[in-house]
Amino acid sequence: MKAFIVDRYGKKEKLHLREIAEPVIKENDVLVQVYSASVNLLDSKIKNGEFKLILPYKTPFVLGHDVAGVITKIGAKVSHFKVGDEVYARPADHRIGTFAGLIAMNEADVALKPKRLTMEEAASIPLVALTAWQALVEKADLKKGQKVFIQAGSGGVGTIAIQLAKYLGATVATTTSTANVEWVKALGADIVIDYKKEDFETILHDYDVVLNSQDAKTLEKSLRVLKPGGKLISISGPPDPAFTEEMRLGWPLKMVMGLLSFGTRKKAKRQHVDYSFLFMRAEGYQLSKITALIDSGIINPVIDKIFPFEKTEEALTYVESGRAKGKVVIKVI
Ligand SMILES: NC(=O)c1ccc[n+]([C@@H]2O[C@H](COP(=O)([O-])OP(=O)(O)OC[C@H]3O[C@@H](n4cnc5c(N)ncnc54)[C@H](OP(=O)(O)O)[C@@H]3O)[C@@H](O)[C@H]2O)c1
């Protein structure tokens, strides 16, 4: 099969399109023919080597964290899927590789594809929707009537998180730049702040939850828009001790990671708010709940551009620009 390979870590390193052996399935695996994949900043960060200590992929490896496709083979112990099922997934860490013709995944990471979506639309969903779910449902336990500030409402995570938060009954504030204000409002956000012209800290007060996806300065300001007892959940760091436990990191790394978030945790404590870092994980069961929300029209995909498979490198560069409006998708078939 054809696949886009990382041969060497590095910002300047290119992906290489090569013919490689088909994946071999384990007894709980499904083999999926990739119809479509989508690009995440995590792909670039992994290729650049930024995650090498946490997720030490041994080169050469196939990149790609989102897939929609059709099951072509199942392992002996697979019980929830059959050959021919249309599925989508964010494969688990250490088992990534959706920029390819085929991928083998544990069935626990897979869900049936929403019926009303095309393969391209479906591939745009798993990583960002699971991130939104794990932040707003699992960590924040966001309730009807609460106020949530979701940064970067025009991004991959933001577009889905806004729709999920509205479904949960929250009042949603978000940030984006001038050109995106109107269509982000149309996604359901109640308050849209143009970050080029206004400072969210002067507008938002007494929030229950902030989903932070930006830099350290934004993180610090976010602490101040929360009410006492509020929750600051960051997907852009710094990592907290719970994350080091989840990733089963050795003690030197645990120490370093703990120190990275020490200041933030201290400030959060002073403000009487809770700080936590989220590194999303694969989870087929949660994805099946997202399938139901999509099929009932509650969550809609937002796609900026679709690139042909051969242009995967260009798709990655486009995402790295930080200007994507929703998701960037790769059409494999
Ligand atoms: N920890 C995790 O599990 C996890 C999971 C998913 C994503 N992430 C991280 O979360 C971040 C966001 O991911 P993403 O996929 O949503 O990114 P993305 O789709 O690439 O974000 C692009 C969007 O961000 C907006 N943006 C850029 N700077 C902004 C600012 N200062 N304020 C508000 N909006 C701004 C841009 O709008 P304009 O063009 O209008 O500026 C653009 O629409 C990334 O760092 C990613 O690595 C982490």
Side-chain angles (χ1 to χ4, degrees):
M1 66 168 186
K2 281 198 159 57
F4 275 96
I5 315 271
V6 176
D7 278 325
R8 256 189 299 172
Y9 286 110
K11 216 173 170 150
K12 290 191 179 137
E13 292 296 327
K14 298 266 173 234
L15 297 178
H16 293 111
L17 181 59
R18 277 212 301 274
E19 197 66 40
I20 60 165
E22 289 186 4
V24 177
I25 54 168
K26 302 179 195 172
E27 55 188 13
N28 293 105
D29 283 357
V30 296
L31 186 67
V32 172
Q33 177 161 30
V34 180
Y35 276 59
S36 208
S38 82
V39 182
N40 292 282
L41 275 167
L42 183 59
D43 295 312
S44 299
K45 292 178 183 179
I46 285 179
K47 178 188 78 67
N48 296 348
E50 290 167 43
F51 273 73
K52 227 165 31 178
L53 291 175
I54 299 162
L55 292 171
Y57 290 104
K58 201 169 171 298
T59 55
F61 63 90
V62 184
L63 202 60
H65 286 82
D66 270 321
V67 59
V70 176
I71 295 181
T72 58
K73 214 185 264 183
I74 59 170
K77 290 199 175 157
V78 167
S79 58
H80 290 91
F81 299 98
K82 58 181 186 317
V83 169
D85 280 349
E86 294 193 339
V87 293
Y88 69 154
R90 185 284 200 204
D93 293 328
H94 304 288
R95 301 209 60 192
I96 63 167
T98 61
F99 300 162
L102 293 158
I103 180 164
M105 296 174 284
N106 190 302
E107 68 165 333
D109 301 334
V110 176
L112 289 174
K113 165 188 156 295
K115 286 193 178 61
R116 83 184 175 89
L117 299 193
T118 62
M119 286 289 185
E120 292 80 40
E121 288 171 331
S124 76
I125 296 288
L127 189 143
V128 291
L130 286 168
T131 304
W133 186 281
Q134 287 164 18
L136 301 180
V137 177
E138 223 175 54
K139 270 194 182 282
D141 192 19
L142 190 65
K143 293 272 184 285
K144 194 172 174 195
Q146 288 192 316
K147 298 197 290 183
V148 59
F149 169 39
I150 294 165
Q151 294 161 12
S154 50
V157 175
T159 50
I160 302 296
I162 289 173
Q163 298 179 72
L164 180 60
K166 286 311 296 177
Y167 164 70
L168 295 170
T171 297
V172 179
T174 192
T175 43
T176 190
S177 67
T178 320
N180 295 328
V181 167
E182 287 311 316
W183 75 265
V184 169
K185 256 186 205 156
L187 280 177
D190 300 285
I191 300 158
V192 182
I193 299 164
D194 180 346
Y195 72 84
K196 300 262 184 195
K197 296 181 184 155
E198 297 166 307
D199 182 352
F200 69 81
E201 195 189 346
T202 63
I203 299 169
L204 308 178
H205 305 285
D206 295 326
Y207 269 64
D208 297 283
V209 178
V210 176
L211 176 51
N212 179 81
S213 57
Q214 304 300 309
D215 59 10
K217 203 170 153 203
T218 308
L219 184 80
E220 171 134 17
K221 288 208 269 183
S222 296
L223 281 169
R224 298 193 284 267
V225 310
L226 284 162
K227 67 182 191 194
K231 291 177 184 167
L232 173 56
I233 299 162
S234 178
I235 56 172
S236 52
D240 62 1
F243 168 73
T244 63
E245 292 295 331
E246 273 162 40
M247 300 300 278
R248 297 198 187 99
L249 303 178
W251 71 265
L253 258 184
K254 263 190 192 164
M255 292 281 287
V256 174
M257 300 266 167
L259 279 175
L260 286 176
S261 62
F262 180 74
T264 306
R265 286 184 283 126
K266 203 168 147 194
K267 280 176 199 150
K269 208 169 170 185
R270 217 180 290 142
Q271 304 266 139
H272 304 289
V273 304
D274 179 69
Y275 172 74
S276 67
F277 173 69
L278 168 70
F279 188 66
M280 64 79 57
R281 60 178 198 285
E283 171 72 70
Y285 177 65
Q286 284 177 354
L287 195 54
S288 69
K289 293 190 167 228
I290 292 161
T291 300
L293 293 182
I294 292 172
D295 275 336
S296 32
I298 289 162
I299 290 182
N300 289 295
V302 181
I303 294 183
D304 182 339
K305 276 187 191 209
I306 301 179
F307 289 83
F309 186 51
E310 309 72 55
K311 300 246 163 94
T312 295
E313 187 74 45
E314 272 176 46
L316 213 60
T317 307
Y318 183 66
V319 168
E320 284 165 5
S321 76
R323 297 280 78 81
K325 300 178 189 73
K327 290 285 299 180
V328 173
V329 171
I330 293 165
K331 190 176 167 70
V332 181
I333 291 186

